[in-house]
Amino acid sequence: MKTGKQTWEFSSVFLQSVGTAVGPKEAEGPFGDSFDVTYNNLHCDQDNWELAERKLLEDAVTSCLSKKEINQSDIDVFVAGDLLNQIVSATYTARTNHIPFLGVFGACSTSMESLAIASSLVEGGFAKKAIAGVSSHNATAERQFRYPTEYGGQKPGTATSTVTGAGAALISQDRSDIRISAATIGRVVDWGIKDPFDMGSAMAPAAADTLATHFKDLNVEPSEYDLIVTGDLSSVGAPIVRDLLLEKGIDITNNHNDCGLMIYRPDQKEVFAGGSGCACSAVVTYGHLIDLLKKGNYQKILVTATGCLHSPVMIQQKESMPAIAHAVVFERVGGEG
């Protein structure tokens, strides 16, 4: 059911299981024990980086399914995306698992975009069981968007480190202890920022826009949530989104965090301003936050994944970087019944 301008409310969408897989830097971070599959090398035992990213997504889906002991043939739709051209990681994973496939792209916001779309299909009865999944890889993203890692180019402190990982979520109308109760679909926002090494500043206005709309559409205050997380605004963008919302009279200071700041330890090397990538919000949410919801540490959280929608060609043509953010509400509703 649509509520307000941009929000969908769901009455019967429940999270059944989640799966995560990460690379070495993420495994060394504070949530290393929360992930299902970890690798100690960026190649993830594959022949190249692109195959490694695909393996991560396949691992996440496999882990997600194995927890419910169901087969790929039981899934009605696989909604997935990634950062690479033609979303090849998701597409080639779909080639392998043979699940009916909807490919989506929202840059780093794809984790919540895919989940929102999958939830609407389940709520509407168009799918009984759906999987939403995303992946990213530090080296594949560097090769496509910046410089191959062998180049050794220096980066400013505003840069972020693309998370190597993948996350998948299985949802259906079967009651479980976690309900997906709403999703707010973001608008494209462009504040004219052109520096691809400062995506936090570019994405913060989009996150503020989506959050403000979410609170207005549902007529709720930020205090409704035990935790509000943004996707990968980093140490640069996280304070900006808080300031932008304060200008609107909305205070998220006491219950806001950012997945890009949570995924790595402050003393880890070469993480710069924090984490980014499709997998950043996915693995933090599916690997860590869902576990806290299940344990009862949180009752209700709002995850707002952010995405910078530029491409190398647009940057070369001196275009600015539009951004978007999509928000999803996860709510603890008790055990199975």
Side-chain angles (χ1 to χ4, degrees), residues 98-116:
H98 302 295
I99 302 171
F101 173 61
L102 288 173
V104 295
F105 178 82
C108 303
S109 73
T110 306
S111 63
M112 294 303 109
E113 178 186 11
S114 61
L115 187 58

Side-chain angles (χ1 to χ4, degrees), residues 11-18 67-68 122 169-181 290 293-294 299 329-337:
S11 62
S12 54
V13 179
F14 295 90
L15 185 68
Q16 304 302 316
S17 63
V18 290
K67 292 176 184 177
K68 297 300 290 185
V122 169
L170 170 63
I171 59 174
S172 76
Q173 290 196 16
D174 297 330
R175 183 176 173 83
S176 73
D177 54 352
I178 297 177
R179 181 165 73 96
I180 297 170
S181 57
I290 294 302
L293 274 172
K294 289 181 176 179
Q299 297 299 315
V329 178
F330 298 83
E331 188 172 352
R332 188 174 187 269
V333 292
E336 298 181 1

